Amino acid sequence: MKLSLSMWSVVSAVKAGRIDLMGFIDFAASQAVTGVELLDVFWDDAEREIPLAKERIADAGLELAVYSISNNFIRPDEADRRRELDELKRGVDIALALDVNLMRVFSGSYLEGLSQDEGMSWILEGLSAGAAYAKGLGVTLALENHGRFAGRSDQLYDIIEGVGSPALRVNLDTGNFLPVGQDPLEAARDLADLIALVHLKDMRRAAADEPGHVVADLDGGLLTGSVIGEGLVDLPAMIALLDEIGYSGWLSLEYEGADDPVRVGVPRSLDAARRLLP
């Protein structure tokens, strides 16, 4: 297993104007990781920045682990869903331009009043077309367990079986099963044969006035990101399970806590992650 750092881990520093794309790559290199994860939301001008990012990553001695997009097929308007598919295809093209053949995708965001069946039909429609496009170009889509429509292992299985393409696999986010009430280890066992990417993340219980990113669980309790090893996920057991099933891909650290990510959250999380690795 190889350790990567997701740029999402420093999103608060990006929003504060303290770090940009090139600064993130330099920061990742200073943390002695093997790879980086880039996301579509951080481009200012993708066409101009792609060759610059490739060069910076190579010069830093890093690999691009995965390119991640933020698609959302839960769109009642058909034209909006077509635009989401176009963006997914553009993401595949960008991944290839970055010389990576793995791309993280989402299903879609929860929409009040929308039935699971209708939402699932839109997700299957979009991801089927997206997987067909990706397969033709040799790219694998890694569907993240995220939200109410694809947050549980059984939902991910249903989507992947419904699409029926080897170009659609799983991005196992170790933290995201908690908000939907599923034990992360149980979910990982269920999905063992489908994992193409792992987001290494931990979460803890949050106070009502928590300063960081907060999500609600199914019972109305609040969760927030934490430093690796300081939250609710049994990460030693998770790493042991991944080792047992022969997973040898990327562990892409995704820190979502309230501590300063550059000075505290990421360095402490990476130190803890290294101690977990076999």
Side-chain angles (χ1 to χ4, degrees), residues 100-117:
V100 67
N101 61 1
L102 182 63
M103 186 174 83
R104 190 285 308 273
V105 295
F106 285 140
S107 56
S109 301
Y110 179 71
L111 193 62
E112 190 71 37
L114 181 70
S115 72
Q116 182 75 22
D117 287 345

Side-chain angles (χ1 to χ4, degrees), residues 226-244:
S226 77
V227 168
I228 290 296
E230 298 181 10
L232 300 169
V233 182
D234 187 348
L235 287 172
M238 178 66 74
I239 296 298
L241 174 61
L242 292 170
D243 190 44
E244 176 188 328

Side-chain angles (χ1 to χ4, degrees), residues 255-269:
Y255 172 72
E256 291 187 336
D259 291 321
D260 183 324
V262 175
R263 296 186 178 90
V264 180
V266 168
R268 283 177 55 192
S269 290

Side-chain angles (χ1 to χ4, degrees), residues 122-150:
W122 296 342
I123 292 165
L124 290 175
E125 173 190 64
L127 289 178
S128 293
Y133 184 79
K135 182 182 177 184
L137 293 169
V139 173
T140 297
L141 307 181
L143 175 62
E144 182 168 333
N145 52 297
H146 185 272
R148 301 293 177 88
F149 284 99

Side-chain angles (χ1 to χ4, degrees), residues 3-218:
L3 194 56
S4 169
L5 178 62
S6 170
M7 191 169 173
W8 188 256
S9 298
V10 298
V11 62
S12 62
V14 174
K15 289 180 177 178
R18 293 173 45 220
I19 196 168
D20 60 9
L21 174 61
M22 300 304 165
F24 163 71
I25 295 169
D26 294 342
F27 170 65
S30 76
Q31 298 301 302
V33 293
T34 304
V36 290
E37 174 182 350
L38 301 187
L39 291 85
D40 58 350
V41 295
F42 294 118
W43 298 120
D44 288 325
D45 180 347
E47 186 175 348
R48 178 182 63 82
E49 291 173 302
I50 286 170
L52 299 175
K54 282 178 62 176
E55 182 178 11
R56 196 70 153 253
I57 290 168
D59 288 348
L62 297 169
E63 299 177 52
L64 182 59
V66 58
Y67 179 60
S68 292
I69 66 167
S70 306
N71 60 293
N72 177 13
F73 287 120
I74 302 300
R75 304 284 193 189
D77 189 280
E78 185 178 355
D80 289 338
R81 296 198 299 275
R82 284 198 300 268
R83 280 189 285 272
E84 292 290 330
L85 177 58
D86 288 342
E87 284 301 305
L88 187 152
K89 291 178 178 179
R90 180 172 181 264
V92 170
D93 294 342
I94 289 175
L96 290 173
L98 289 165
D99 293 332
V100 67
N101 61 1
L102 182 63
M103 186 174 83
R104 190 285 308 273
V105 295
F106 285 140
S107 56
S109 301
Y110 179 71
L111 193 62
E112 190 71 37
L114 181 70
S115 72
Q116 182 75 22
D117 287 345
E118 187 167 21
M120 187 66 77
S121 72
W122 296 342
I123 292 165
L124 290 175
E125 173 190 64
L127 289 178
S128 293
Y133 184 79
K135 182 182 177 184
L137 293 169
V139 173
T140 297
L141 307 181
L143 175 62
E144 182 168 333
N145 52 297
H146 185 272
R148 301 293 177 88
F149 284 99
R152 297 179 55 87
S153 60
D154 57 315
Q155 293 172 324
L156 288 169
Y157 249 119
D158 287 346
I159 291 169
I160 289 172
E161 287 187 356
V163 170
S165 170
L168 182 64
R169 287 297 179 259
V170 168
N171 169 32
L172 185 85
D173 186 299
T174 59
N176 281 355
F177 292 108
L178 295 176
V180 294
Q182 187 173 25
D183 176 71
L185 284 172
E186 170 195 311
R189 290 190 190 98
D190 291 344
L191 298 167
D193 58 338
L194 295 173
I195 301 170
L197 173 69
V198 174
H199 268 170
L200 192 62
K201 183 163 73 183
D202 210 346
M203 302 186 81
R204 61 172 175 79
R205 290 292 169 191
D209 59 350
E210 195 73 41
H213 174 68
V214 173
V215 295
D217 65 20
L218 296 180

